[in-house]
Amino acid sequence: MDYYGSHITRLVEALKSLPGVGTKSAQRMAFHIIGMPEDQVRKLSEAILDARTNVQFCKECCTITDGDICPICKSRVRNHRQIMVVENPRDLAAYEKTGRYEGVYHVLHGAISPMLGVGPNDIKLRELMQRLTDENGDLTADEVIIAMGATVEGESTAMYILRLIKTLGLPVKVTRIASGVPVGGDIENIDEVTLERALRGRTELK
Ligand code: ZN
């Protein structure tokens, strides 16, 4: 039965498509929105549309950016032969905040998870492999640092990347950040000192 009328129901359904939003939260948000001044609602919907229209993936590292290439990939002072693989742009931001990493990144936008049905082709893994060599087949990186969280998904993804690099016979060093990152911990929630220590204490995967 439609208690609230079709407009509200439609809004609730739309909000429910967002991650982590169930029926109750969606209803709460919907009622909050209809109570907001109209110009504020317009600003909100314009900001959503604007972000969706103008934000794109960096052609080098796949992070989200306004142009073709993100500022980090554009930078001449960064070490482009050191690539840190992270799960999402929030993790990239967390590492940038430490101010101690001088290499570049690769953002996978997810992690391999057989349980959730996320396979290697569902994340930006092909893009990572492609950028490890140039058009002549020459290696473009000296080190790939795998900075995935210490979760089952992070572990599977790290092992998959290592196996892929070995299978392709690429003589690039593969390292993994140290276990200073707590088991099951999300990178973005870890403080800067711990992150920096995890980066410094990284070990080579063989
Ligand atoms: Zn980039």
Side-chain angles (χ1 to χ4, degrees):
M1 187 158 155
D2 193 353
Y3 297 105
Y4 307 126
S6 61
H7 295 291
I8 291 281
T9 304
R10 205 176 131 212
L11 179 57
V12 170
E13 286 307 312
L15 290 167
K16 265 170 68 183
S17 70
L18 297 171
V21 179
T23 305
K24 274 192 182 155
S25 325
Q27 283 172 353
R28 224 173 8 245
M29 283 187 221
F31 283 111
H32 181 81
I33 289 169
I34 58 158
M36 277 161 65
E38 214 176 311
D39 66 316
Q40 221 174 313
V41 176
R42 190 164 292 120
K43 270 189 202 140
L44 173 65
S45 62
E46 277 167 8
I48 294 172
L49 201 59
D50 178 69
R52 180 62 189 88
T53 312
N54 295 309
V55 172
Q56 44 186 311
F57 294 125
C58 169
K59 288 197 162 57
E60 291 270 325
C61 73
C62 302
T63 196
I64 45 174
T65 180
D66 287 346
D68 273 358
I69 306 282
C70 78
I72 295 171
C73 290
K74 254 190 223 158
S75 165
R76 284 159 192 253
V77 295
R78 309 287 297 225
N79 176 5
H80 289 258
R81 297 190 67 88
Q82 193 177 42
I83 301 175
M84 186 194 286
V85 180
V86 293
E87 193 172 326
N88 56 54
R90 298 189 305 278
D91 292 355
L92 181 157
Y95 270 99
E96 276 304 283
K97 255 190 261 162
T98 68
R100 291 298 173 90
Y101 177 63
E102 285 162 358
V104 293
Y105 295 90
H106 188 87
V107 181
L108 290 176
H109 294 278
I112 295 172
S113 168
M115 254 174 60
L116 298 173
V118 182
N121 293 329
D122 300 316
I123 58 177
K124 305 274 183 196
L125 206 54
R126 200 179 312 121
E127 289 82 351
L128 171 65
M129 292 304 141
Q130 275 164 358
R131 67 186 283 210
L132 291 180
T133 51
D134 63 15
E135 60 272 22
N136 301 319
D138 291 330
L139 207 61
T140 55
D142 298 322
E143 184 181 1
V144 171
I145 302 168
I146 301 177
M148 308 289 290
T151 55
V152 177
E153 291 79 23
E155 198 61 40
S156 323
T157 311
M159 287 307 122
Y160 193 88
I161 292 172
L162 178 70
R163 236 183 11 233
L164 215 52
I165 287 174
K166 297 287 169 209
T167 309
L168 292 169
L170 298 174
V172 60
K173 189 171 163 189
V174 182
T175 57
R176 175 117 203 245
I177 54 165
S179 50
V181 176
V183 172
D186 276 333
I187 302 262
E188 61 173 315
N189 297 326
I190 298 165
D191 69 275
E192 288 152 38
V193 177
T194 308
L195 270 189
E196 199 214 323
R197 201 177 300 143
L199 177 60
R200 237 185 309 124
R202 66 188 184 274
T203 48
E204 186 166 2
L205 297 177
K206 292 185 179 178

